[in-house]
Structure formats: C-alpha cells, structure tokens
Amino acid sequence: MANYQWYPGHMTKAKRMMQENIKLIDLVIELVDARIPLSSRNPDIDELGKNKSRIILLNKSDLADARKNKIWMEYFTEKGFHVLEINAKTGAGIKSIQGAVQEACREKIARDRKRGILNRPVRAMVVGIPNVGKSTFINSFAGKACAKTGNKPGVTKGKQWIRLNKGLELLDTPGILWPKFEDQTVGLHLAMIGSMNDEIVHLDELACELIDFLRAQYPGLLEKRYEIEISEAQNAYDTIKFVCISKKCFLKGEELDIMKSSAMIVDDFRNGKIGKITLEMP
C-alpha cells in the first residue's frame, strides 16, 4: 500500500496561534468527518482543549452509515463530549447546536451567575483538520446576518469575534490541526474521503482498497451501483475492469481505461452515490 503523508510547513505556526487563541475561549467546537471520526481528529486537541467545554460535530453525517453514526455518538458521549450529527453544507443539524452550547457550558454560565456576571456570552472556537468543513460550518452557523464585533479591550487586536446572539460569540479564525499519521490507515482513510491532494494519490490503488473494504463491510453495494456480478475469487483489480466494461470506460478501441473507472469509483464513494458508508468503527 502506498505511504500517505502530509508535511505542511506552517503546522507549528498554526499550532502556536491556536494555543494563544484557546486561552480566550470557553468552548471548543471540533468538526470531524462522520465517515472517519477518528482518522479525521488530531489527538493533540484533547490536550489543547482540556478544561474547556467540548462539542464534537460529526460533519457530512448524511454520507455516513446512520447506524454507525449512533455508535460514534455514544463513543464520544462516554468520553465526556457533547456530540451532534450535522451537514455544514446543507445546514442539517445546525439548529440544534445552540442548545448543545448551553448544555456544554452550563457550569461556566452558573459560575458567572454566582459571581454576579450576567449574560457574558460564551466564547467558542471551531477546530479541525483541513478539508473537514470548518469555514463552511462557520458561514452556515453564523449565517449572513451576524455582525462582527470589533476589537474589544483585552482582546488582541485583529482577532475577529462573530456575535451569533446574546449568548454566543465565535472566534472568526478556525483552529487548524493536522492529522497524526500514527498508522497507515489514517492516511488511507483521509485519501479515500478526498482530504489529500489527489495528485499524490494513486487512484487505482485507492479504488482497490475501497473495493476490498466495501466487499467485506457493505456487500452488494458495488454490484448494485455498477450493475456487475462479483465472484468470491475475483480480486479488486478485476472489479475495476468490470466497472470499465459496464460503464464503457475505454481508451482507444477496446482498451480499458482503468484510471477513469478508478476515479469514478472513488468519486462515487465520496459523493455518497455507492451508499451511506462509514470507514471505521470505535
């Protein structure tokens, strides 16, 4: 299997900024991809965000397996997080976030009251690895109506806070973390959902990995999508050839266009056309 890696040079700078910003906030809202909730998390966030209220949003939950979404929600809830299923693009689940914020920050709000501080808004920061939908989420959650609050005393100049309502302000810059490639499956999963640059990924290898996974975990989906028969003995590469023939992916003459059909399989998975699929379990 290919070795998937990522080495952005600006990681340390982003992490340093995040450490500074996290001091200013009460709540960390973390986005993960519902199809790979662990591979799309960075374990550092638990260290960075300790002593803060925490919400995890399973984004793109409509592309994931609904039964497995429930299992992941239970898993994170047991670990002390507040968890919601959302789709930042369509806005699904966004309405429930306000309630979750109140719930997650109940103790902080109660502490403020005791000290006689009323209506101090909860300050939140959105974090996650690249391509998990942070900016889309901020735009969708904040909507177009919100006013950015200017520089306030005690707030470092240049930091923009988005006032969502009386009770909540959002730091405009999302916190960027990078995935930790502790084992190869993390890289593979990120490549499958398209969080890697497809130029560095061999799509035919990726399609083979995907086919092997789907045949084991979601039997019947490939047959249905591509109108093909798959025998027990057949390997993943043969399946790609069958898809070529079924979907008429040819180069010149009768030569099979393996790359075209590999790209089609990977895209169909990413867009949910093969089915609602979760790639990993707790």
Side-chain angles (χ1 to χ4, degrees):
M1 194 172 94
N3 189 7
Y4 299 103
Q5 242 339 335
W6 240 2
Y7 296 110
H10 38 279
M11 277 189 194
T12 37
K13 186 182 168 217
K15 201 168 156 184
R16 220 176 31 244
M17 263 182 62
M18 203 158 140
Q19 282 162 330
E20 285 166 26
N21 287 339
I22 238 157
K23 293 175 192 148
L24 307 171
I25 57 137
D26 311 300
L27 168 71
V28 176
I29 300 175
E30 181 186 0
L31 263 79
V32 300
D33 189 300
R35 294 164 296 178
I36 53 166
L38 276 190
S39 296
S40 59
R41 281 194 86 204
N42 173 315
D44 290 349
I45 185 57
D46 291 336
E47 187 48 43
L48 282 168
K50 66 171 191 278
N51 310 326
K52 304 287 177 187
S53 304
R54 302 286 303 277
I55 294 177
I56 285 188
L57 301 178
L58 295 171
N59 194 22
K60 303 183 187 170
S61 57
D62 53 321
L63 293 175
D65 182 330
R67 276 197 333 275
K68 292 179 178 173
N69 283 347
K70 295 269 173 298
I71 296 169
W72 277 111
M73 286 179 80
E74 282 161 21
Y75 168 83
F76 286 124
T77 304
E78 270 165 30
K79 291 202 170 320
F81 299 103
H82 292 265
V83 199
L84 291 171
E85 294 176 57
I86 67 156
N87 180 339
K89 255 205 183 101
T90 62
I94 300 282
K95 282 196 175 72
S96 340
I97 293 173
Q98 195 56 48
V101 168
Q102 294 301 313
E103 190 52 43
C105 296
R106 210 168 53 198
E107 286 169 20
K108 174 215 160 320
I109 294 164
R111 269 198 316 273
D112 279 354
R113 279 221 179 99
K114 267 202 178 105
R115 296 188 192 131
I117 305 166
L118 296 178
N119 305 331
R120 185 169 87 74
V122 166
R123 291 198 150 166
M125 178 178 181
V126 178
V127 304
I129 67 167
N131 298 335
V132 86
K134 294 179 298 292
S135 304
T136 311
F137 166 71
I138 289 176
N139 293 338
S140 154
F141 188 36
K144 297 289 166 273
C146 67
K148 290 190 176 178
T149 57
N151 297 319
K152 298 194 171 146
V155 176
T156 323
K157 192 166 166 47
K159 288 209 196 319
Q160 289 285 356
W161 294 89
I162 302 172
R163 185 99 195 233
L164 296 187
N165 51 44
K166 283 204 309 284
L168 183 62
E169 289 187 354
L170 208 54
L171 187 60
D172 192 20
T173 37
I176 300 170
L177 293 157
W178 273 267
K180 276 265 199 311
F181 292 91
E182 253 117 42
D183 67 50
Q184 267 310 291
T185 39
V186 172
L188 178 65
H189 285 159
L190 289 162
M192 283 177 173
I193 65 161
S195 273
M196 295 260 185
N197 188 337
D198 276 344
E199 268 108 72
I200 60 168
V201 172
H202 299 288
L203 280 176
D204 50 344
E205 286 177 30
L206 203 52
C208 284
E209 295 279 358
L210 205 46
I211 288 165
D212 286 338
F213 173 83
L214 292 173
R215 283 180 63 183
Q217 298 296 325
Y218 292 91
L221 287 187
L222 288 166
E223 289 90 330
K224 199 170 158 197
R225 172 73 189 158
Y226 299 110
E227 298 164 341
I228 53 176
E229 295 283 322
I230 300 177
S231 70
E232 279 298 304
Q234 189 179 316
N235 68 24
Y237 206 74
D238 291 332
T239 305
I240 295 179
K241 290 178 182 168
F242 277 19
V243 173
C244 277
I245 295 160
S246 170
K247 293 292 171 195
K248 303 188 172 42
C249 299
F250 297 109
L251 289 160
K252 42 187 184 296
E254 293 297 293
E255 197 189 332
L256 300 179
D257 192 341
I258 296 292
M259 291 323 273
K260 186 178 176 185
S261 93
S262 297
M264 181 194 294
I265 294 166
V266 172
D267 275 347
D268 284 352
F269 159 72
R270 288 174 183 170
N271 300 326
K273 288 178 181 165
I274 294 175
K276 294 182 185 302
I277 293 154
T278 297
L279 293 175
E280 61 187 9
M281 291 305 290

